[in-house]
Amino acid sequence: MSLRNIAIIAHVDHGKTTLVDQLFRQSGTFRDNQRVEERAMDSNDLEKERGITILAKPTSIEWEGTRINIVDTPGHADFGGEVERILSMVDGVILLVDSSEGAMPQTKFVTGKALALGLRPIVVVNKVDRPDERIQEVLDEVFDLFVSLEATDEQLDFPVLYASGRNGYASEDPQARSGTLTPMFQKIVDHVPAPSADPDGPFKFLVTLLDRDNFLGRVLTGLVFSGSVKTNQAIHALDNDGKIIETGRASKIMSFRGLERVPVDEAKAGDIISLAGLTVATVSNTICDPQVTEPLHAQPIDPPTLSMRFAVNDSPMAGREGTKVTSRMIRDRLAREAESNVAIKVTESADKDSFEVAGRGELQLGVLIETMRREGFELGISRPRVLFRDGETGLEEPYETVVIDVDEEYSGTVVDKMAIRKAELTDMRPSGGNKTRITFSAPSRGLIGYHGEFLSDTRGTGIMNRLFEKYGPHKGKIEGRKNGVLISNGSGEANAYALGPLEERGILMVGVGEALYEGMIIGENAKPDDLEVNPMKSKALTNFRASGKDDAVRLTPPKKLTLEQAIAYIDDDEMVEVTPKSIRLRKRWLDPNERKKQARSKAAA
């Protein structure tokens, strides 16, 4: 059977996973009466809840005697590490572009990686049935993007299909509004070359994805570059320098068939497979025949730009809601994450009670924290900070390209707010439908915590996309949060009688009956200073009957922050306490005297 390996790449929400659903259906992977969930490739709970792809996942379909291995990739820049690795497994890419939004920042990032590897893309203009489609302009944008990324003449001569992934049709005619995906299958078979693997050489296999199975242990996924492997065959693992990491046997070989991994007795060159049997080998290692001493070259990964401190939860409520609370458990879990996710780096602090976790962005680290809390962990999380480096001209910091689509009436506000954050306006143009597309080059530091404010400023209608651009000169001090916080001055339960008057002081983040402790943040102050308050104060009861009925206290519902909002909201001297059931904001030093002492020493420094 002939073989094709392709990746589907696109910006977030441009329809990759929905298109894969239709490819499954029309290739006969699913039975006609089989009940299949929408976006079948988004397999874990977080992916289903957020509607985004987080992990790159291979799958396979058969069409007229050709097996097509497809890798569905994440569309968000924070998960770019996943995309960079899997491009070495494939021989072609389908670049999916929304017929209205056009080429977005993540499109540029992944396409640049694919073109640099010499892959020839098939461009698919998706969602052609949108009422605000602008197909020709979008195609011009894609061509300009390819030129700016220094594509070769062969890559610039890309085939184009016009499709609707949701309705399951693709055509070479931009006016087509019905049909099937047969033209897409045909284009993949005709345009994407067969794997250029060596079937007669010794067995070589490059690991690009790693996961765990309760029965098989460590499962390594990647492409067989040469030779073949049979079950129980002797193998060894080499690192990038050619050192032998471990030797063992291929206890289980699995190939992809639709959504499932199916055990096979033998895998041949050019196929994407999963392999079990080794206990130490990890991503970017070469698994090969014992006679092989030269490792395969693994793609370098862009470095992380943001870090957070993951600490043991030391609040007065520690251990009440989670089952995994010790530093040893947190260390083991973070070590496992760093092993399978090459875009994350973990370093242990000197006190052994906290860990510096560096990654690509707030969303990537937020997803890791959310995953850990669902597994029963309790953590104390610090404010994100960018990773500086020493450059030729002095201290350098990461910059991001920020593309904002916003209604024209809000564009002035957005430009003003971004200017405060030391962002430089690089492009501004109308994008149809009374919307404006504004592009900035902004230091990552200034963007931490801005997204929530941006949504408020644009009444929830603005769309912001960010992408790491470069390391550039340090921009100096950037103004942080303007408002102070309301801090509980004792422990107990929040009382309606006390919360009523506190509403005049600012916005509350706790409700009646919630357990509080000294140093916990219960709301946002309307003024710039922090304010210690007593939210537990109850009405003093006397023997005297009041002449009128006591007025019932009417409280505004508290402002509850999501995990990402909480992480972006906190200041340098604050933390987020994360448990399986709660997200609480607190001061890093709970004792007010200790806070004053730290503030004095900071001012003196």
Side-chain angles (χ1 to χ4, degrees), residues 399-418:
Y399 282 63
E400 296 184 31
T401 300
V402 185
V403 177
I404 290 174
D405 284 299
V406 67
D407 293 342
E408 284 171 5
E409 59 189 294
Y410 304 126
S411 58
T413 310
V414 170
V415 171
D416 288 346
K417 288 285 179 73
M418 291 294 282

PDB file of all heavy atoms in Angstrom, residues 399-418:
ATOM      1  N   TYR A 399      10.011  40.119  22.510  1.00  0.00           N
ATOM      2  CA  TYR A 399       8.956  40.932  21.898  1.00  0.00           C
ATOM      3  C   TYR A 399       7.965  39.996  21.210  1.00  0.00           C
ATOM      4  O   TYR A 399       8.328  38.913  20.771  1.00  0.00           O
ATOM      5  CB  TYR A 399       9.540  41.874  20.837  1.00  0.00           C
ATOM      6  CG  TYR A 399      10.226  43.105  21.390  1.00  0.00           C
ATOM      7  CD1 TYR A 399      11.353  43.005  22.191  1.00  0.00           C
ATOM      8  CD2 TYR A 399       9.744  44.371  21.099  1.00  0.00           C
ATOM      9  CE1 TYR A 399      11.989  44.126  22.697  1.00  0.00           C
ATOM     10  CE2 TYR A 399      10.377  45.513  21.597  1.00  0.00           C
ATOM     11  CZ  TYR A 399      11.492  45.382  22.389  1.00  0.00           C
ATOM     12  OH  TYR A 399      12.099  46.499  22.890  1.00  0.00           O
ATOM     13  N   GLU A 400       6.719  40.455  21.082  1.00  0.00           N
ATOM     14  CA  GLU A 400       5.705  39.667  20.383  1.00  0.00           C
ATOM     15  C   GLU A 400       5.048  40.514  19.305  1.00  0.00           C
ATOM     16  O   GLU A 400       4.911  41.732  19.454  1.00  0.00           O
ATOM     17  CB  GLU A 400       4.630  39.180  21.374  1.00  0.00           C
ATOM     18  CG  GLU A 400       5.184  38.225  22.410  1.00  0.00           C
ATOM     19  CD  GLU A 400       4.101  37.663  23.322  1.00  0.00           C
ATOM     20  OE1 GLU A 400       2.953  37.521  22.859  1.00  0.00           O
ATOM     21  OE2 GLU A 400       4.402  37.361  24.482  1.00  0.00           O
ATOM     22  N   THR A 401       4.675  39.843  18.217  1.00  0.00           N
ATOM     23  CA  THR A 401       3.836  40.485  17.209  1.00  0.00           C
ATOM     24  C   THR A 401       2.395  40.319  17.680  1.00  0.00           C
ATOM     25  O   THR A 401       1.951  39.210  17.950  1.00  0.00           O
ATOM     26  CB  THR A 401       4.006  39.808  15.838  1.00  0.00           C
ATOM     27  OG1 THR A 401       5.379  39.919  15.452  1.00  0.00           O
ATOM     28  CG2 THR A 401       3.129  40.460  14.791  1.00  0.00           C
ATOM     29  N   VAL A 402       1.683  41.423  17.812  1.00  0.00           N
ATOM     30  CA  VAL A 402       0.295  41.378  18.294  1.00  0.00           C
ATOM     31  C   VAL A 402      -0.609  41.859  17.169  1.00  0.00           C
ATOM     32  O   VAL A 402      -0.453  42.981  16.677  1.00  0.00           O
ATOM     33  CB  VAL A 402       0.105  42.277  19.537  1.00  0.00           C
ATOM     34  CG1 VAL A 402      -1.301  42.122  20.099  1.00  0.00           C
ATOM     35  CG2 VAL A 402       1.140  41.949  20.602  1.00  0.00           C
ATOM     36  N   VAL A 403      -1.520  41.007  16.727  1.00  0.00           N
ATOM     37  CA  VAL A 403      -2.479  41.380  15.676  1.00  0.00           C
ATOM     38  C   VAL A 403      -3.854  41.474  16.327  1.00  0.00           C
ATOM     39  O   VAL A 403      -4.346  40.512  16.917  1.00  0.00           O
ATOM     40  CB  VAL A 403      -2.496  40.344  14.534  1.00  0.00           C
ATOM     41  CG1 VAL A 403      -3.544  40.723  13.495  1.00  0.00           C
ATOM     42  CG2 VAL A 403      -1.123  40.254  13.875  1.00  0.00           C
ATOM     43  N   ILE A 404      -4.457  42.653  16.239  1.00  0.00           N
ATOM     44  CA  ILE A 404      -5.744  42.899  16.908  1.00  0.00           C
ATOM     45  C   ILE A 404      -6.790  43.242  15.859  1.00  0.00           C
ATOM     46  O   ILE A 404      -6.592  44.142  15.034  1.00  0.00           O
ATOM     47  CB  ILE A 404      -5.601  44.048  17.936  1.00  0.00           C
ATOM     48  CG1 ILE A 404      -4.743  43.576  19.124  1.00  0.00           C
ATOM     49  CG2 ILE A 404      -6.957  44.531  18.414  1.00  0.00           C
ATOM     50  CD1 ILE A 404      -4.424  44.653  20.129  1.00  0.00           C
ATOM     51  N   ASP A 405      -7.906  42.501  15.865  1.00  0.00           N
ATOM     52  CA  ASP A 405      -9.068  42.824  15.025  1.00  0.00           C
ATOM     53  C   ASP A 405     -10.122  43.442  15.930  1.00  0.00           C
ATOM     54  O   ASP A 405     -10.579  42.792  16.881  1.00  0.00           O
ATOM     55  CB  ASP A 405      -9.618  41.561  14.356  1.00  0.00           C
ATOM     56  CG  ASP A 405      -8.754  41.106  13.202  1.00  0.00           C
ATOM     57  OD1 ASP A 405      -8.611  41.884  12.256  1.00  0.00           O
ATOM     58  OD2 ASP A 405      -8.214  39.981  13.260  1.00  0.00           O
ATOM     59  N   VAL A 406     -10.515  44.686  15.632  1.00  0.00           N
ATOM     60  CA  VAL A 406     -11.394  45.406  16.561  1.00  0.00           C
ATOM     61  C   VAL A 406     -12.332  46.313  15.783  1.00  0.00           C
ATOM     62  O   VAL A 406     -12.010  46.755  14.674  1.00  0.00           O
ATOM     63  CB  VAL A 406     -10.513  46.205  17.564  1.00  0.00           C
ATOM     64  CG1 VAL A 406      -9.757  47.305  16.865  1.00  0.00           C
ATOM     65  CG2 VAL A 406     -11.299  46.739  18.729  1.00  0.00           C
ATOM     66  N   ASP A 407     -13.517  46.571  16.334  1.00  0.00           N
ATOM     67  CA  ASP A 407     -14.435  47.536  15.714  1.00  0.00           C
ATOM     68  C   ASP A 407     -13.766  48.902  15.672  1.00  0.00           C
ATOM     69  O   ASP A 407     -13.053  49.285  16.610  1.00  0.00           O
ATOM     70  CB  ASP A 407     -15.742  47.625  16.523  1.00  0.00           C
ATOM     71  CG  ASP A 407     -16.551  46.338  16.449  1.00  0.00           C
ATOM     72  OD1 ASP A 407     -16.287  45.545  15.529  1.00  0.00           O
ATOM     73  OD2 ASP A 407     -17.414  46.111  17.312  1.00  0.00           O
ATOM     74  N   GLU A 408     -14.030  49.655  14.584  1.00  0.00           N
ATOM     75  CA  GLU A 408     -13.340  50.933  14.378  1.00  0.00           C
ATOM     76  C   GLU A 408     -13.482  51.885  15.561  1.00  0.00           C
ATOM     77  O   GLU A 408     -12.563  52.623  15.907  1.00  0.00           O
ATOM     78  CB  GLU A 408     -13.865  51.600  13.102  1.00  0.00           C
ATOM     79  CG  GLU A 408     -13.318  50.948  11.834  1.00  0.00           C
ATOM     80  CD  GLU A 408     -14.004  51.449  10.570  1.00  0.00           C
ATOM     81  OE1 GLU A 408     -14.830  52.371  10.686  1.00  0.00           O
ATOM     82  OE2 GLU A 408     -13.712  50.919   9.488  1.00  0.00           O
ATOM     83  N   GLU A 409     -14.653  51.856  16.235  1.00  0.00           N
ATOM     84  CA  GLU A 409     -14.891  52.818  17.334  1.00  0.00           C
ATOM     85  C   GLU A 409     -13.959  52.588  18.525  1.00  0.00           C
ATOM     86  O   GLU A 409     -13.734  53.494  19.326  1.00  0.00           O
ATOM     87  CB  GLU A 409     -16.356  52.734  17.798  1.00  0.00           C
ATOM     88  CG  GLU A 409     -16.752  51.355  18.277  1.00  0.00           C
ATOM     89  CD  GLU A 409     -18.256  51.246  18.527  1.00  0.00           C
ATOM     90  OE1 GLU A 409     -18.740  51.921  19.461  1.00  0.00           O
ATOM     91  OE2 GLU A 409     -18.916  50.476  17.807  1.00  0.00           O
ATOM     92  N   TYR A 410     -13.426  51.347  18.665  1.00  0.00           N
ATOM     93  CA  TYR A 410     -12.556  51.064  19.808  1.00  0.00           C
ATOM     94  C   TYR A 410     -11.067  51.126  19.461  1.00  0.00           C
ATOM     95  O   TYR A 410     -10.217  50.927  20.330  1.00  0.00           O
ATOM     96  CB  TYR A 410     -12.852  49.663  20.382  1.00  0.00           C
ATOM     97  CG  TYR A 410     -14.306  49.459  20.771  1.00  0.00           C
ATOM     98  CD1 TYR A 410     -15.026  48.380  20.263  1.00  0.00           C
ATOM     99  CD2 TYR A 410     -14.941  50.340  21.640  1.00  0.00           C
ATOM    100  CE1 TYR A 410     -16.354  48.190  20.607  1.00  0.00           C
ATOM    101  CE2 TYR A 410     -16.266  50.158  21.994  1.00  0.00           C
ATOM    102  CZ  TYR A 410     -16.980  49.076  21.472  1.00  0.00           C
ATOM    103  OH  TYR A 410     -18.278  48.896  21.819  1.00  0.00           O
ATOM    104  N   SER A 411     -10.741  51.370  18.193  1.00  0.00           N
ATOM    105  CA  SER A 411      -9.336  51.279  17.779  1.00  0.00           C
ATOM    106  C   SER A 411      -8.472  52.320  18.501  1.00  0.00           C
ATOM    107  O   SER A 411      -7.333  52.047  18.873  1.00  0.00           O
ATOM    108  CB  SER A 411      -9.199  51.427  16.261  1.00  0.00           C
ATOM    109  OG  SER A 411      -9.749  52.656  15.841  1.00  0.00           O
ATOM    110  N   GLY A 412      -9.016  53.523  18.740  1.00  0.00           N
ATOM    111  CA  GLY A 412      -8.238  54.566  19.427  1.00  0.00           C
ATOM    112  C   GLY A 412      -7.878  54.154  20.846  1.00  0.00           C
ATOM    113  O   GLY A 412      -6.732  54.349  21.293  1.00  0.00           O
ATOM    114  N   THR A 413      -8.850  53.555  21.556  1.00  0.00           N
ATOM    115  CA  THR A 413      -8.598  53.094  22.934  1.00  0.00           C
ATOM    116  C   THR A 413      -7.505  52.036  22.954  1.00  0.00           C
ATOM    117  O   THR A 413      -6.605  52.069  23.799  1.00  0.00           O
ATOM    118  CB  THR A 413      -9.900  52.487  23.524  1.00  0.00           C
ATOM    119  OG1 THR A 413     -10.969  53.384  23.313  1.00  0.00           O
ATOM    120  CG2 THR A 413      -9.743  52.198  24.992  1.00  0.00           C
ATOM    121  N   VAL A 414      -7.576  51.088  22.005  1.00  0.00           N
ATOM    122  CA  VAL A 414      -6.594  49.998  21.962  1.00  0.00           C
ATOM    123  C   VAL A 414      -5.196  50.552  21.690  1.00  0.00           C
ATOM    124  O   VAL A 414      -4.224  50.164  22.346  1.00  0.00           O
ATOM    125  CB  VAL A 414      -6.987  48.951  20.884  1.00  0.00           C
ATOM    126  CG1 VAL A 414      -5.859  47.963  20.652  1.00  0.00           C
ATOM    127  CG2 VAL A 414      -8.258  48.221  21.298  1.00  0.00           C
ATOM    128  N   VAL A 415      -5.095  51.481  20.754  1.00  0.00           N
ATOM    129  CA  VAL A 415      -3.779  52.067  20.421  1.00  0.00           C
ATOM    130  C   VAL A 415      -3.206  52.789  21.643  1.00  0.00           C
ATOM    131  O   VAL A 415      -2.015  52.663  21.960  1.00  0.00           O
ATOM    132  CB  VAL A 415      -3.886  53.023  19.209  1.00  0.00           C
ATOM    133  CG1 VAL A 415      -2.594  53.796  19.013  1.00  0.00           C
ATOM    134  CG2 VAL A 415      -4.225  52.227  17.950  1.00  0.00           C
ATOM    135  N   ASP A 416      -4.067  53.537  22.366  1.00  0.00           N
ATOM    136  CA  ASP A 416      -3.607  54.256  23.566  1.00  0.00           C
ATOM    137  C   ASP A 416      -3.099  53.278  24.625  1.00  0.00           C
ATOM    138  O   ASP A 416      -2.036  53.468  25.213  1.00  0.00           O
ATOM    139  CB  ASP A 416      -4.751  55.096  24.161  1.00  0.00           C
ATOM    140  CG  ASP A 416      -5.078  56.302  23.302  1.00  0.00           C
ATOM    141  OD1 ASP A 416      -4.256  56.625  22.424  1.00  0.00           O
ATOM    142  OD2 ASP A 416      -6.156  56.901  23.485  1.00  0.00           O
ATOM    143  N   LYS A 417      -3.885  52.215  24.879  1.00  0.00           N
ATOM    144  CA  LYS A 417      -3.511  51.252  25.923  1.00  0.00           C
ATOM    145  C   LYS A 417      -2.220  50.518  25.556  1.00  0.00           C
ATOM    146  O   LYS A 417      -1.382  50.238  26.409  1.00  0.00           O
ATOM    147  CB  LYS A 417      -4.651  50.232  26.119  1.00  0.00           C
ATOM    148  CG  LYS A 417      -5.884  50.801  26.822  1.00  0.00           C
ATOM    149  CD  LYS A 417      -5.640  50.984  28.301  1.00  0.00           C
ATOM    150  CE  LYS A 417      -6.820  51.577  29.039  1.00  0.00           C
ATOM    151  NZ  LYS A 417      -7.926  50.667  29.228  1.00  0.00           N
ATOM    152  N   MET A 418      -2.069  50.191  24.290  1.00  0.00           N
ATOM    153  CA  MET A 418      -0.847  49.493  23.868  1.00  0.00           C
ATOM    154  C   MET A 418       0.365  50.421  23.934  1.00  0.00           C
ATOM    155  O   MET A 418       1.478  49.979  24.235  1.00  0.00           O
ATOM    156  CB  MET A 418      -1.009  48.937  22.444  1.00  0.00           C
ATOM    157  CG  MET A 418      -1.999  47.789  22.330  1.00  0.00           C
ATOM    158  SD  MET A 418      -1.471  46.296  23.197  1.00  0.00           S
ATOM    159  CE  MET A 418      -0.278  45.635  22.049  1.00  0.00           C
TER     160      MET A 418
END
